[in-house]
Amino acid sequence: MNVIEFNRLKGTDLNSFPESENNVKHRIVIPFLRCFGHNDPDFEHAAQGSRIDINIENRIIVETKSLSKNLDEFVQQLGNYSIKELPVISILSNGRQFRIYSPQWRKEKNFSDKLIYQFELSDLGDVELLNRLERILDVSNYENETYLDNLNERENEISGLKKRIGEIKENKNK
């Protein structure tokens, strides 16, 4: 994990950043992925009549959008790509925000509910976040296959939190 590069990315001046999707992809998202050792992604990957912006060995797919785009409008698109490619991780980013989904999470039916991390570019200085992301994104975890255990752990953590929130709401209503 390249903490120096994360700090450089975190300091990106988005106010003077060129707006386009390609700039987001090449100046933010690809360097982000390289920090985790992913140096040779497949760009504009053909997927049954569609083009996925970045595909890493069909384990991680990434859809990038320009800075001004609202990511909510593209969650279904990423979900459709995930159905076609069956990745372990799907990422949606407009350069400002990153959303990481676990498409194969069986407990959640709707793709939008499979969100496991959401953060801002400015959060890349948070060491705890980087350590958590490293567990599911770092290339070494794919080589030794611990990424699956780490992903299951995160899914269980989220399920537990959702359950706890439901219990709190139920108790509040009583």
Side-chain angles (χ1 to χ4, degrees):
M1 180 170 65
N2 188 338
V3 176
I4 293 170
E5 180 64 8
F6 282 125
N7 281 324
R8 186 194 68 74
L9 286 170
K10 173 188 152 201
T12 301
D13 180 8
L14 296 178
N15 293 324
S16 62
F17 193 84
E19 174 67 23
S20 78
E21 180 177 313
N22 270 334
N23 282 319
V24 168
K25 182 187 331 178
H26 291 284
R27 294 183 182 188
I28 296 175
V29 175
I30 293 170
F32 171 81
L33 294 169
R34 285 190 175 136
C35 288
F36 293 108
H38 299 286
N39 295 315
D40 194 24
D42 180 11
F43 300 108
E44 298 300 322
H45 176 79
Q48 300 175 7
S50 300
R51 292 262 180 217
I52 297 171
D53 290 332
I54 301 170
N55 183 320
I56 302 172
E57 299 178 9
N58 280 353
R59 291 181 177 161
I60 300 171
I61 63 170
V62 183
E63 182 63 20
T64 58
K65 298 298 172 193
S66 64
L67 283 178
S68 63
K69 296 294 183 182
N70 180 345
L71 294 182
D72 292 336
E73 298 173 11
F74 301 97
V75 173
Q76 188 59 48
Q77 177 186 12
L78 184 63
N80 292 341
Y81 291 164
S82 296
I83 289 169
K84 293 175 183 177
E85 295 297 304
L86 301 174
V88 177
I89 299 287
S90 296
I91 301 173
L92 180 60
S93 180
N94 62 5
R96 292 181 194 280
Q97 299 175 322
F98 286 77
R99 294 183 186 175
I100 301 177
Y101 295 86
S102 180
Q104 298 179 28
W105 188 1
R106 292 186 180 119
K107 291 183 182 178
E108 297 295 342
K109 301 297 181 213
N110 295 322
F111 185 80
S112 61
D113 294 332
K114 297 179 182 211
L115 180 69
I116 58 172
Y117 286 103
Q118 179 173 322
F119 56 93
E120 304 284 325
L121 183 65
S122 60
D123 295 332
L124 291 181
D126 181 339
V127 176
E128 182 180 339
L129 172 65
L130 295 179
N131 287 333
R132 286 173 161 268
L133 294 175
E134 180 180 40
R135 297 186 67 189
I136 62 166
L137 292 175
D138 197 79
V139 72
S140 65
N141 293 324
Y142 287 85
E143 291 167 355
N144 65 25
E145 298 191 4
T146 58
Y147 69 97
L148 288 172
D149 294 333
N150 296 333
L151 192 56
N152 286 331
E153 184 180 300
R154 178 62 177 166
E155 290 170 358
N156 289 335
E157 178 183 17
I158 291 171
S159 292
L161 290 170
K162 286 181 177 181
K163 181 180 177 185
R164 182 69 182 127
I165 290 169
E167 290 169 353
I168 291 169
K169 286 181 178 178
E170 186 179 310
N171 288 336
K172 184 179 176 184
N173 290 336
K174 288 180 181 178

